[in-house]
Amino acid sequence: MTRLLDGPVPPVGAPAPAGGAGRQVWRRLRARPSAAAAATVLALLVLLALAAPLITQLTGQDPNTYHDDLVDSARGGVPLGSFGGISADHWLGVEPGTGRDLFTRLLHGARISLLVALGAVAVQIAVGVGVGIAAALGNRFLGQLIGRFTDVMIALPMLVIAIALTAVVPSGFPRPLLLVLVIGLFDWGGTARMVRSQTLALNGLDFVAAARLSGWGPLRVARRELLPSLAAPVITLAAIKVPGAMVAEASLSFLGVGVKPPTPSWGQMLSSAQTWFRADPAYVLLPAGLLFVTVLAFTVLGDAVRSALDPREASRLRVGTGKERTA
């Protein structure tokens, strides 16, 4: 139905018009105000996270510098002043007990959260795509073996494994890298299942059969025919998985097995804020609010990407509204 509305159907296996599909996806994304708002929020957050060292130099506030004169030691370390110690030098106040600048710590915490989430999703996608294609293109025994192994990986409790690994991995091992590996290497099962099912569906199409009849081997068929066709669902899945990876990093840091002090992290800040939520509510609300907004923005953008890359969704929109049909 989508092809009938968009124009003539090209021959099977024929290359798509250059830039045509990309322009359609971009047009569908721009037509969604929620997607534009989510993308703007994420772009601003990424820009601030990348510029965190520069902002630290411009403001003169180091995220790890203690300011004992900014907290009331008689009250257990509650920040002096209103709203958590907000002032001209400390725009969002200071951290209770230490007096460290909260604004710069939130920016540097965003770097850790985004780095871990994006790195973990990249590992999940790489492993899941490779395993899924191998399971679909291999013989029956190999497919069943990979399928059972995938089921085992899905059933493994990632949080328990992460806690156990912290007792084995040396303390000098970079914790952000450890989180990327733990979240990525133990959460690729869903990606592998999706890729396997999509690959099996593509195997029955004419252009894949023609590639095999021309003498191409499995690796060349996967690289030249299957991977380009899997790009849309894989990109959609990656966009949807980023929020889950951010929540996983925050959960591990909240439990004390993630990023270690003095490196700031939103989950770590929430963990220490649980003892200050009555005396200094801003210290709880700021990292929790940023985490909520970021996860929501990634979720909204991921849903928009899924709809933009799904021709059936676009077809339903055209049939329901009639706007593009009359254009």
Side-chain angles (χ1 to χ4, degrees):
M1 184 179 295
T2 302
R3 293 292 187 183
L4 293 176
L5 294 171
D6 287 344
V9 181
V12 175
R23 285 195 297 268
Q24 290 181 7
V25 172
W26 177 245
R27 186 170 64 249
R28 295 168 192 163
L29 283 176
R30 287 191 305 172
R32 288 175 169 263
S34 59
T40 302
V41 170
L42 292 177
L44 179 61
L45 179 64
V46 171
L47 180 62
L48 290 174
L50 293 176
L54 178 61
I55 294 176
T56 298
Q57 293 181 356
L58 293 177
T59 60
Q61 300 295 336
D62 186 82
N64 299 322
T65 300
Y66 284 52
H67 300 281
D68 296 332
D69 57 322
L70 299 178
V71 296
D72 188 356
S73 58
R75 299 174 56 195
V78 176
L80 297 172
S82 58
F83 303 104
I86 292 179
S87 64
D89 295 328
H90 305 281
W91 301 343
L92 296 180
V94 296
E95 186 180 57
T98 64
R100 292 180 292 193
D101 183 71
L102 195 54
F103 176 68
T104 55
R105 288 189 64 79
L106 288 171
L107 290 183
H108 284 267
R111 293 167 63 91
I112 295 296
S113 297
L114 292 173
L115 175 65
V116 171
L118 296 177
V121 170
V123 173
Q124 291 175 17
I125 295 300
V127 176
V129 169
V131 173
I133 291 179
L137 297 183
N139 55 42
R140 183 176 180 181
F141 174 76
L142 179 61
Q144 291 181 350
L145 180 63
I146 294 177
R148 300 294 79 76
F149 180 68
T150 302
D151 294 339
V152 172
M153 295 302 298
I154 293 176
L156 289 177
M158 186 187 63
L159 289 177
V160 176
I161 294 175
I163 294 173
L165 286 176
T166 56
V168 179
V169 177
S171 58
F173 193 86
R175 283 307 173 99
L177 178 58
L178 177 61
L179 292 177
V180 168
L181 295 177
V182 169
I183 299 174
L185 294 178
F186 289 95
D187 196 24
W188 51 263
T191 303
R193 278 185 173 178
M194 185 275 294
V195 171
R196 179 179 179 275
S197 64
Q198 292 287 333
T199 303
L200 290 175
L202 292 171
N203 275 337
L205 299 183
D206 293 342
F207 72 95
V208 177
R212 287 201 183 92
L213 291 175
S214 65
W216 287 8
L219 291 179
R220 189 176 184 185
V221 171
R223 185 178 69 254
R224 299 289 298 275
E225 302 292 348
L226 295 177
L227 286 178
S229 300
L230 290 170
V234 168
I235 292 173
T236 302
L237 185 63
I240 295 174
K241 275 185 167 291
V242 172
M246 292 193 69
V247 173
E249 182 277 327
S251 301
L252 292 172
S253 297
F254 181 83
L255 294 174
V257 297
V259 178
K260 295 294 184 182
T263 304
S265 167
W266 289 349
Q268 177 197 109
M269 296 172 71
L270 286 173
S271 178
S272 60
Q274 60 183 331
T275 59
W276 299 98
F277 69 94
R278 292 184 181 275
D280 187 10
Y283 187 44
V284 182
L285 295 177
L286 287 173
L290 280 174
L291 181 62
F292 172 77
V293 170
T294 305
V295 170
L296 179 62
F298 268 116
T299 303
V300 172
L301 185 61
D303 182 71
V305 170
R306 177 193 61 78
S307 299
L309 292 174
D310 186 0
R312 294 171 298 180
E313 183 76 14
S315 176
R316 285 193 293 268
L317 289 175
R318 282 192 290 270
V319 172
T321 61
K323 292 181 180 179
E324 293 191 19
R325 192 191 307 185
T326 59

